[in-house]
Structures are given as C-alpha cells and as structure tokens.
Amino acid sequence: MPPDPTTPGGALLVLAILLPCAGIILSFVLGGRNAERVALGLTPFGFALACAIAFHVASAGKPIVYALGGLAPPLGIALRADGVSAVMLVAAAVILTAAGFYARAKFATPEGGPESRSALTFWIMLQAIWAALTIIFVGGDLFNLYVALELLTFAAVPLVCIDGRPETLAAALRYLLFALFGSISYLLGVALFYGAYGTLDIPLLAQRVQSTPIVWLAAALMTGGLLAKTALFPLHLWLPPAHANAPAAASAVLSGLVVKGSFFLTLRLWFYVLPALSAAGAANILGALALAAIITGSVLALRQARLKLLIAYSTVAQIGYLFLVFPLATGAHVWSGIGWSAGVMQILAHAFAKAAMFLSAGLLAEALGHDQIARFAGAARALPMTFLTLGLGGLSLMGLPPSGGFSAKWLMLQASVASGQWVWTLPVLAGGLLAAGYVYRILTPALSEGDIMLKAPPKRSREAIALGLALIALALGFAPQGFFDLLEIGRPLAAGTLQ
C-alpha cells in the first residue's frame, strides 16, 4: 500500500471544495428566497479557508497535499496547493464575494414578493463557479480537472443569458459551442495520455512523459481546447458578446476569473505535466498568438461605441499578456523566475482591474440608461466615484505605476531583455500605448462639460465595492518580496523537477 502523502493543512483543500458544494445543495433545498443568504453567508468562510491554505503553504515552504481516501496516486487522487494555487484561491474568494454583494441589488428576492428564477439561477451558478475554480486550482489529476472545467463552463454559460434577451441567448450559445469544442479537444488529449502512461496524476506524468508523437498530439489537442475556452486570439469570437451582454456582476466574474481557470490549466499542462519536452517552439507559437491578441484586441477596443464592449475587447488584449509567460518563463534560467512572477502578477492585476471596471460599467448603465461612450459628456461630475474606479482600473491595464499592471509589465520587460528575447518587448509597450488610447476614449467625454440626467443614482455601497477592487489592483504594485517568494513555492524549475 503506498504511503499516505497527506501533509499538515491538506484537509483544508477538501473543505474549500465542499463549502460551495454544500451551498449549492442548501440553495436548492431552501429555495430562491434563501439562496442569496446561503451564498453570501458562506463567503466569509470561503475567504478564511483560502487565507488558511495560503498560510499553510507559506509556512511549510512547499505545496500541501491531501490524498482522498488515504490512497496515494496512482491508486488514489491527490489534491495539491502550491504558491500560485494559494494566491489564486484568495483572489477568487475576494472577487466572488465582491460580485455577490454587488449583485444583491439586481438578484435579491424582495420580502413578500414572488421568488425569481433568475435570482435562484444566479446564486447557484455563482457558487458552482467558486467550486469549479477551487477544484481547478488544487486538482492534481487531469481527468478531474476536465470535470472541473466542464462545471465551470456550465455554470458560466447561464450567467450570460440569465435575462433571457435574444442577444444574450445568441451570445451564450456561441460561448457554449466554443466551450464544447474545447472540452472535446481537451478530453481527447487526456485519453491519449492515459493510454500511453496509465495515469493522469500530474507529478507522475511529469516523471514518465517523453517526447513522442502521441505526447505532442495530446499536448496540441489539450492546448487547443484550453485556448478556445480562454478566448486567445483567434479563438476569441465568443468573448466580447458574452461578456458585454451579461449582467455586470456576471461580466466581472467571467472576465476576472472564469477565463483564468482555463489559462491556469494551460500553465499546469506545459509547466507541470510536460517539463521533459523541449517546448521552445510551442512557447514561441503561443507568444506569437499573444502578440496578435494584444494588438488586435486593443485596436478593436478603440473602435467600440459601447463601454461594456470596449472593456470586453480589452479583455481579449489583456489575455494576450498572460500567454507571454510561456516564452518568458520556459526553461531553468534565472530570468524564467521573473517571467513566471510576471505572468501571475498579470493574472491578478487584470482580474481585479477588469472586475472593477465591469462593475462600474454596470453602475454607469443603470444610472444613465445607456453605456454609449459618445453620450458621457458631464458624467464624471455626476458619478465621480464610478469614473475614479474606471480610471484606476485603466491605470493598471495601461501598466502605469503604481499598479499591479505596471509590476507585471515591468517584469515582462525585464525577462524579455534578460533572455535576449527583445521581440516580446514590442507587444508589451505597444499594448500599453493602445490601452492608454481606449481608456482616454472613456474619460475624455466624461470629463467634458455637459448636462447629465441620472435615471437613478447608484448606491454608495456598490460604488465602494467596485472601487475596492480597483484599489487592490493598484496595491498589487506594492507587493512585498514575501509575495513573490510565495509564488516560487512549487514552481517547476527544470525537466521533471519542482522547487
């Protein structure tokens, strides 16, 4: 019998998964009127668990592990949390909590009123997304990660069309088609890995995988499927209509977290499962797609007339920055650690900044009755906190100091220069200038003179939630060295080894 690999604190990983799952069951049992109370009541416990996991990983200096049923792989399944997993768990807890409290104004069931199907759907899907993301961040088995990826998709799609409008149904259907293509492709790759090596446990695969045609085919299938779910150019066609037409709280979660789930699995695949492969060619291909995404997404954002569509196309561009981690962090070099930190910082900075901007865009649309940028004249004077949030979020997207976006892009530039890959400095710099252009397009008309009639002034509490997320994106620029040390825990260094 293999030894039990469970480490101190490992049981917290199971609790982090069970908590939102229990919330889903309770929401069904108690009904739509209480689903909101269940979802929001569990958020402090979820955040506390995420912080406890991060504390255990940091104090141990190595990943924490929990073997389900006490059986070690390959007989059993193990959950693992390294430094990046711990950071992502905390970020997801913060953004989902913020989105939940922001959404109360739209999806609360009033006392004495009839229960709403959309409210029940929203709160259950929000908890399902939390459960799926938790499994993705701590899962150690490729098939179980596939199950989590499917749960994430089928929880996210209903949020796109929750209001039932024809355009949202069309956007959700397009999202679903791309997601199903990605799922089938990913599952085919998983089947090839299992047929070749008889296990799907990530550390065991990393020890056994060799550069064979089957492995390259499996890697290509899985990568293609994950790129479709992440919406990397040119597989981005589903993202702008889906994110722009969803309710603001849903858009914040979709852009800030859901696309990060599939990207996180792409990192797991290439850096954790396939360290034995000479992946420079694949990394350069992903880098070229990233360059195209940054330029194309930014140019399309500049051309949008609606604020939510502009922010959605900005997500296409910012996703491109994420994939620069592959050419900048591949290999066991000094600069690869800088590239790794840059990629994780970009995940976090974009998640918080974009969630803040989508929440603010929702407040703006409710207050003005539209989100047409050309009709924003004088809006900044009427909604100063909302436009302050948009400006701070845009500051991070541009990569200006002091912000998490600046730290991420500065680290990318350092890694590019240190590795001699000067070509990757071009999209970083050009993307920052283009981001400044579309943020300028938002703020310029709003700061001009004009008469604005507000349909309904936004609640200060909702404005404060959005501003809080933007301030977190800003505060990431002041991250201490201990934060980057945490990211190094469990980071793959070279073929078949982990730090």
Side-chain angles (χ1 to χ4, degrees):
M1 180 72 66
D4 185 350
T6 297
T7 61
L12 294 172
L13 304 180
V14 178
L15 292 177
I17 295 171
L18 291 179
L19 185 70
C21 293
I24 294 171
I25 297 172
L26 277 175
S27 297
F28 272 117
V29 172
L30 299 178
R33 191 174 305 281
N34 295 301
E36 173 198 352
R37 298 188 183 98
V38 171
L40 297 180
L42 293 180
T43 54
F45 300 101
F47 177 72
L49 279 172
C51 291
I53 290 170
F55 173 78
H56 275 279
V57 173
S59 59
K62 62 181 181 180
I64 60 173
V65 183
Y66 183 84
L68 297 177
L71 295 176
L75 295 179
I77 296 171
L79 304 175
R80 301 179 180 88
D82 56 10
V84 177
S85 300
V87 168
M88 291 304 299
L89 286 171
V90 174
V94 173
I95 293 174
L96 285 165
T97 299
F101 280 95
Y102 174 97
R104 292 183 66 194
K106 184 175 180 64
F107 294 105
T109 302
E111 293 295 336
E115 293 186 2
S116 168
R117 181 178 61 182
S118 62
L120 178 63
T121 301
F122 177 83
W123 297 114
I124 289 177
M125 294 303 106
L126 192 70
Q127 294 173 89
I129 286 175
W130 199 336
L133 287 171
T134 303
I135 299 171
I136 286 173
F137 296 147
V138 305
D141 177 274
L142 291 182
F143 181 77
N144 285 278
L145 290 175
Y146 162 77
V147 175
L149 198 60
E150 287 302 272
L151 175 59
L152 185 64
T153 296
F154 288 113
V157 169
L159 292 183
V160 174
C161 58
I162 197 167
D163 61 8
R165 290 181 291 126
E167 56 268 33
T168 62
L169 291 171
L173 181 59
R174 180 183 295 187
Y175 180 12
L176 183 61
L177 291 175
F178 272 82
L180 289 177
F181 161 76
S183 299
I184 293 171
S185 182
Y186 179 93
L187 187 58
L188 287 173
V190 170
L192 290 175
F193 271 123
Y194 188 75
Y197 297 104
T199 183
L200 294 174
D201 182 70
I202 290 176
L204 290 179
L205 275 177
Q207 296 170 10
R208 301 178 186 181
V209 162
Q210 298 177 355
S211 182
T212 64
I214 289 294
V215 167
W216 280 106
L217 177 59
L221 287 169
M222 294 176 71
T223 303
L226 292 170
L227 296 190
K229 286 179 174 287
T230 311
L232 180 66
F233 179 88
L235 301 174
H236 68 287
L237 300 178
W238 65 266
L239 187 148
H243 288 198
N245 289 303
S251 297
V253 172
L254 292 171
S255 183
L257 294 175
V258 171
V259 295
K260 306 303 191 304
S262 49
F263 173 75
F264 189 87
L265 292 190
T266 313
L267 287 181
R268 282 281 192 243
L269 175 65
W270 283 99
F271 287 97
Y272 292 82
V273 178
L274 303 173
L277 300 189
S278 178
N284 287 330
I285 292 173
L286 291 174
L289 293 176
L291 188 155
I294 293 169
I295 303 302
T296 304
S298 298
V299 170
L300 290 174
L302 281 167
R303 299 176 59 187
Q304 300 308 308
R306 287 183 53 208
L307 177 59
K308 284 195 74 176
L309 267 174
L310 184 153
I311 299 173
Y313 275 105
S314 167
T315 298
V316 174
Q318 296 294 316
I319 286 172
Y321 285 109
L322 297 179
F323 281 88
L324 289 179
V325 70
F326 290 95
L328 296 179
T330 298
H333 309 283
V334 174
W335 46 264
S336 65
I338 302 174
W340 180 260
S341 296
V344 179
M345 180 62 79
Q346 175 63 17
I347 293 175
L348 298 173
H350 175 259
F352 286 105
K354 194 53 64 70
M357 294 182 76
F358 267 120
L359 295 184
S360 294
L363 293 174
L364 193 60
E366 291 174 10
L368 302 181
H370 66 84
D371 67 345
Q372 296 293 323
I373 299 172
R375 297 165 58 190
F376 282 177
R381 183 171 299 176
L383 300 165
M385 189 181 294
T386 296
F387 278 95
L388 173 62
T389 302
L390 287 169
L392 292 177
L395 187 78
S396 186
L397 297 186
M398 288 185 276
L400 293 181
S403 67
F406 168 75
S407 295
K409 293 171 178 60
W410 178 247
L411 290 170
M412 289 178 189
L413 292 174
Q414 284 184 297
S416 299
V417 173
S419 63
Q421 302 179 82
W422 291 87
V423 66
W424 306 125
T425 64
L426 299 178
V428 174
L429 297 174
L433 293 173
L434 290 169
Y438 57 72
V439 173
Y440 179 83
R441 276 201 63 221
I442 299 170
L443 298 181
T444 299
L447 293 170
S448 64
E449 293 293 332
D451 295 325
I452 286 289
M453 294 294 293
L454 298 183
K455 295 181 64 176
K459 291 182 178 180
R460 289 295 184 189
S461 60
R462 302 177 82 201
E463 287 187 308
I465 289 171
L467 180 59
L469 293 176
L471 290 175
I472 293 174
L474 201 68
L476 286 169
F478 300 95
Q481 182 58 43
F483 171 80
F484 295 101
D485 293 340
L486 177 61
L487 299 183
E488 290 292 308
I489 296 175
R491 179 176 72 87
L493 288 177
T497 65
L498 295 176
Q499 182 174 354

